[in-house]
Amino acid sequence: MKKISVLTGTRAEYHLMYPVLKKIVEHPDLELDLIVTGAHLSAKYGNTYQAIEKDGIPISIKLPILKDDEEIVDMDRAIAECMLGCSKHFKDVKPDLLLVLGDRYELFGAVIPAINQHIPIAHIHGGETTEGAIDEAVRHSVTKCSYLHFTCCEPYRKRVIQLGESPDRVFNVGGLGVENILTQSLMTQEDLEKNLSFPLNNYSLVTFHPVTLEEGTAVQQVKEMLDAFLEVEDMNFIITKANADAGGNKINEVIDQYAEKYPQKFYTEFSLGMVRYLSAMKYAHLVIGNSSSGILEAPSFRVPTINIGDRQKGRIKCESIIDCNPNKKAILDAISKGLSSSFRDSIKTMESPYGNGTTSQQIIDIINKYLENGIDLKKKFYDIEFNLKGEK
């Protein structure tokens, strides 16, 4: 029996990882060691660890690293506390592999002690770029710390190889978000409306996070967005709140102010959970904000995405993505385009580049194979042939 440690710190990351976690639990030769930390354990961010428990996924340890009385999240302290907690935990349970997803700062807290304790690391969703966020540096750093790589499309696989990782350890397996869309039983629009007690005849789904490489822009940008929404007649907005990044609390305060003033216009919640969130996305007129879900998942529903600002700059985008600047006029223009019949007709036959719904099984099969055969952590840097522009 091989033990796989998995770290999760946010609702979005857990929802993506759910099919992988479920398959580990059900696998006869694998044992799940789930480390829950970050926003999951914060009342301010909805205590989303309860959703994990409700799903029946066993939690091995809870590592609180956030303080609900902090006005701005101290990411340095959070990483340090996560590192100390994971270091002790790994020494106690001695996992055969650590599996992590994405680009959250909490990953450093698990990856660094794993390296020091010679625990192989497998990384999901490497090779992507988000030029407006600190996540960019975290993601590529975790790539270099990892032995196995699971990317969501071929250009990202090539980018991981460009970082010096051997092609035989880098696998294009598609996106977990697409798998959830294709495999989960979603709610009807009528049932969702009853569940939320909010009118859903004409609505958009919204998530807006801080752009962590920009200083002091969060409040102004979210106000521009919400002011634009007030000018869109006959449309309501379901808003899932910002995550536990620096500036996230301030964004949520502004959202609460608008929701209190315009309760018929805005419905807000920290986390809808995977099924409600994907159901809300399915029936939405638009997906709006700067969350990766608008880039990776919304195209599978052929729902237009209004991508605001630079947070997702650099990602591969389908034809359904409309980029705009974070100001009221640009947002209104983008909404108008996204609602136009000509644009909606143009994406009706669009195909998502992010896989066919078999991602989690591919990941489990590859991990199990490598664990059975043994892993040599002495990686060689894989050099590629290339010519730089301007070189003589």
Side-chain angles (χ1 to χ4, degrees):
M1 182 75 74
K2 300 294 186 180
K3 185 176 294 183
I4 300 179
S5 291
V6 181
L7 182 87
T8 177
T10 71
R11 69 199 183 203
E13 171 191 74
Y14 167 71
H15 294 156
L16 290 174
M17 290 279 272
Y18 173 75
V20 178
L21 299 176
K22 194 167 183 291
K23 283 185 170 61
I24 294 174
V25 170
E26 295 170 349
H27 200 287
D29 300 321
L30 301 176
E31 178 184 350
L32 176 64
D33 170 51
L34 185 62
I35 304 165
V36 174
T37 188
H40 282 308
L41 306 177
S42 169
K44 183 182 290 187
Y45 295 99
N47 282 329
T48 50
Y49 74 90
Q50 295 170 348
I52 302 175
E53 294 177 338
K54 186 177 179 181
D55 286 339
I57 302 295
I59 297 173
S60 300
I61 186 171
K62 297 173 183 175
L63 294 178
I65 60 173
L66 300 179
K67 295 184 177 180
D68 282 350
D69 59 355
E70 284 182 335
E71 183 177 348
I72 299 177
V73 174
D74 186 340
M75 292 191 291
D76 294 341
R77 180 193 54 74
I79 292 170
E81 292 192 13
C82 187
M83 193 181 304
L84 290 172
C86 285
S87 176
K88 182 180 184 306
H89 181 69
F90 291 155
K91 288 172 184 174
D92 290 340
V93 305
K94 297 178 173 54
D96 295 286
L97 181 133
L98 170 66
L99 178 64
V100 295
L101 180 146
D103 48 29
R104 294 281 307 168
Y105 58 83
E106 299 99 335
L107 297 190
F108 281 146
V111 165
I112 292 173
I115 292 172
N116 291 337
Q117 295 181 41
H118 302 167
I119 300 167
I121 300 165
H123 184 210
I124 303 172
H125 275 287
E128 301 170 26
T129 57
T130 46
E131 297 173 17
I134 292 169
D135 305 355
E136 171 88 356
V138 175
R139 185 188 303 104
H140 299 325
S141 298
V142 172
T143 288
K144 289 309 302 173
C145 295
S146 301
Y147 185 85
L148 294 175
H149 307 274
F150 302 109
T151 68
C152 69
C153 60
E154 189 60 24
Y156 295 154
R157 177 178 180 269
K158 290 178 180 177
R159 192 171 286 146
V160 170
I161 295 168
Q162 185 180 340
L163 287 168
E165 297 301 297
S166 178
D168 61 1
R169 295 184 284 101
V170 189
F171 304 91
N172 172 19
V173 296
L176 286 166
V178 173
E179 177 173 346
N180 286 333
I181 289 169
L182 296 177
T183 59
Q184 287 294 313
S185 296
L186 302 183
M187 304 170 71
T188 66
Q189 187 168 352
E190 182 181 7
D191 286 343
L192 181 64
E193 183 172 82
K194 289 179 180 177
N195 182 279
L196 300 180
S197 298
F198 188 73
L200 299 182
N201 56 310
N202 187 17
Y203 73 96
S204 291
L205 180 63
V206 182
T207 308
F208 192 85
H209 298 300
V211 185
T212 48
L213 286 179
E214 297 177 1
E215 292 288 340
T217 64
V219 170
Q220 181 58 36
Q221 288 186 7
V222 75
K223 283 183 175 179
E224 292 278 339
M225 180 183 74
L226 294 171
D227 284 341
F229 292 167
L230 292 176
E231 294 196 12
V232 182
E233 296 182 0
D234 301 322
M235 180 171 284
N236 300 329
F237 298 88
I238 298 175
I239 305 176
T240 57
K241 294 185 181 180
N243 56 26
D245 288 326
N249 289 341
K250 292 184 177 180
I251 284 177
N252 291 339
E253 288 174 5
V254 174
I255 289 172
D256 285 340
Q257 291 168 6
Y258 276 71
E260 184 176 353
K261 189 173 182 180
Y262 304 100
Q264 303 304 314
K265 190 79 169 174
F266 301 118
Y267 175 92
T268 68
E269 197 166 332
F270 278 108
S271 175
L272 292 171
M274 177 171 59
V275 172
R276 289 196 302 166
Y277 182 78
L278 291 179
S279 300
M281 180 179 285
K282 179 179 181 179
Y283 306 117
H285 280 59
L286 303 168
V287 172
I288 306 175
N290 60 8
S291 169
S292 61
S293 63
I295 310 294
L296 300 175
E297 297 167 50
S300 292
F301 288 121
R302 298 185 178 91
V303 175
T305 295
I306 309 303
N307 180 54
I308 300 173
D310 287 345
R311 191 171 189 271
Q312 301 298 333
K313 187 176 180 180
R315 284 195 191 271
I316 292 170
K317 296 169 186 170
C318 298
E319 306 95 292
S320 58
I321 315 299
I322 302 171
D323 293 321
C324 70
N325 291 323
N327 64 71
K328 180 179 170 182
K329 183 182 183 305
I331 294 167
L332 284 170
D333 288 344
I335 289 174
S336 178
K337 179 178 178 179
L339 293 175
S340 68
S341 57
S342 59
F343 183 80
R344 301 178 79 83
D345 287 343
S346 73
I347 64 172
K348 281 182 177 179
T349 59
M350 176 190 70
E351 296 295 330
S352 170
Y354 297 116
N356 60 6
T358 62
T359 300
S360 64
Q361 190 61 55
Q362 292 182 69
I363 290 172
I364 294 300
D365 290 344
I366 293 166
I367 285 176
N368 193 47
K369 175 185 172 183
Y370 271 85
L371 289 177
E372 285 180 347
N373 295 338
I375 292 175
D376 181 2
L377 289 176
K378 296 176 182 177
K379 297 193 303 182
K380 291 183 179 180
F381 195 97
Y382 184 83
D383 289 306
I384 60 173
E385 297 279 339
F386 63 94
N387 291 314
L388 293 176
K389 290 182 180 179
E391 278 193 341
K392 295 182 180 179

